[in-house]
Amino acid sequence: MYRSIFRPGLFAEKVVIVTGGGSGIGRCTAHELAALGATVALVGRTPEKLAAVAAEIADSGGLAQAYPCNIREEEAVQSLIAQIVSAHGRIDALVNNAGGQFPALLKDISRKGWEAVVQTNLTGGFLMARECLNQSMQKRGGAIVNMVADMWGGMPGMGHSGAARAGMINFTETAAFEWARYGVRVNAVAPGYVASSGLDAYPPQMREIILQAGKQVPLQRMATESEISAAIVFLLSEAASFVTGAVLRVDGGRPNVRLGFPLESERSTPAFSGFHLARQPKVLAEREPE
Ligand code: ADE
């Protein structure tokens, strides 16, 4: 069972959608919400990945179902939400976590590549949120968390993703205002470097290089997936019942680094993970003995 920092039963009777639920931060958030009593609808493009996470959650005694869907397709999103509402009666919360990009300089990005990234990271999230609002939350209230990124001041090598995610923040702010009248809170979480299961696919040498990026962070390490899911779950929960239109940075202070002020490293903060070792991303499990 996932060991959440939050009160047991906090999400009992709640129906929560997590997009990008087949891996990484989405998988971790789904585990945490299920451990807190939620019924989790796992959305993503790859049915096998969703089924594997649903099975992990069922093994731990939680409730989760796989709903394969491409969030870029408007009609598919409309029928996905109709299907979830008819199966569970309502949607209490949405974690708009599905995302994807490829590293490239702006000068080399084709129109097709740009539009694909904007559709996944901005338009897809808008469609999911709009349908949750129109098909359930408008009547019963709810909470939405949009995942963005540490793209403050630009995102060299990922300009398409940075532009889409900056757009997602503005969408969050507008939706927070327009949907407050329905009792719907809309917030964003901006993670920095995360040692996520997505890194497991990289060759070990490459993984080590990425892990070294943690040295550039004031708190002297990368985040665990659980440190991101805790922020998401906080914003979805009653603990944040007066928070809307906010962006919660979970990045160890990375954007606060300034030229001319060297990072002093006396100690790093202890990392928190709710996963048992066996379910930890390999990238962290391998480092556990240190
Ligand atoms: N995860 C990444 N891209 C996605 C998409 N287009 N639809 C659903 N989940 C995704």
Side-chain angles (χ1 to χ4, degrees):
M1 180 68 118
Y2 186 92
R3 187 174 53 91
S4 174
I5 205 88
F6 296 102
R7 160 163 66 76
L10 189 61
F11 283 82
E13 316 288 317
K14 303 278 187 199
V15 178
V16 186
I17 298 177
V18 180
T19 70
S23 61
I25 293 167
R27 166 179 170 264
C28 181
T29 305
H31 268 279
E32 177 155 22
L33 288 164
L36 294 169
T39 297
V40 181
L42 297 160
V43 174
R45 268 182 314 182
T46 316
E48 301 75 31
K49 288 211 267 173
L50 301 177
V53 175
E56 287 174 3
I57 290 175
D59 275 356
S60 310
L63 293 169
Q65 274 160 24
Y67 290 92
C69 176
N70 183 350
I71 61 160
R72 293 187 203 172
E73 292 173 8
E74 185 168 22
E75 284 177 13
V77 170
Q78 285 169 327
S79 61
L80 166 79
I81 302 304
Q83 205 187 333
I84 296 172
V85 171
S86 97
H88 302 290
R90 65 186 188 282
I91 294 161
D92 297 295
L94 165 68
V95 183
N96 247 335
N97 166 72
Q101 58 270 308
F102 54 92
L105 296 174
L106 289 174
K107 70 182 179 61
D108 301 322
I109 299 175
S110 67
R111 180 185 179 131
K112 192 162 166 246
W114 176 273
E115 284 177 353
V117 171
V118 170
Q119 278 175 24
T120 301
N121 295 305
L122 178 60
T123 312
F126 158 67
L127 293 173
M128 286 293 302
R130 187 196 67 193
E131 288 308 310
C132 284
L133 189 277
N134 288 339
Q135 296 194 42
S136 176
M137 292 182 180
Q138 189 167 355
K139 278 183 250 139
R140 332 179 39 105
I144 297 172
V145 167
N146 297 317
M147 298 306 291
V148 294
D150 176 357
M151 43 68 218
W152 315 104
M155 201 174 188
M158 297 262 198
H160 39 20
S161 182
R165 290 167 189 284
M168 200 55 177
I169 291 178
N170 204 264
F171 164 72
T172 300
E173 293 167 336
T174 303
F177 176 81
E178 292 190 4
W179 299 352
R181 75 195 67 179
Y182 309 119
V184 176
R185 298 183 298 102
V186 189
N187 292 291
V189 168
Y193 299 122
V194 184
S196 86
S197 53
L199 296 184
D200 291 350
Y202 289 70
Q205 252 179 331
M206 183 66 148
R207 255 190 275 157
E208 203 43 49
I209 290 168
I210 295 170
L211 284 168
Q212 292 304 318
K215 300 256 158 56
Q216 308 300 315
V217 173
L219 289 182
Q220 290 292 297
R221 61 176 176 83
M222 297 178 91
T224 63
E225 291 173 347
S226 298
E227 288 167 328
I228 311 301
S229 72
I232 297 168
V233 169
F234 160 70
L235 287 170
L236 293 181
S237 78
E238 287 164 52
S241 49
F242 206 55
V243 182
T244 198
V247 184
L248 180 48
R249 277 177 36 205
V250 189
D251 53 24
R254 202 292 313 163
N256 303 103
V257 174
R258 288 291 175 267
L259 285 175
F261 289 85
L263 281 171
E264 308 283 350
S265 141
E266 287 173 34
R267 68 178 64 86
S268 61
T269 54
F272 165 73
S273 178
F275 278 125
H276 290 294
L277 206 52
R279 291 214 165 133
Q280 198 88 273
K282 245 197 300 173
V283 75
L284 285 178
E286 282 167 4
R287 295 166 74 86
E288 200 71 8
E290 266 178 36

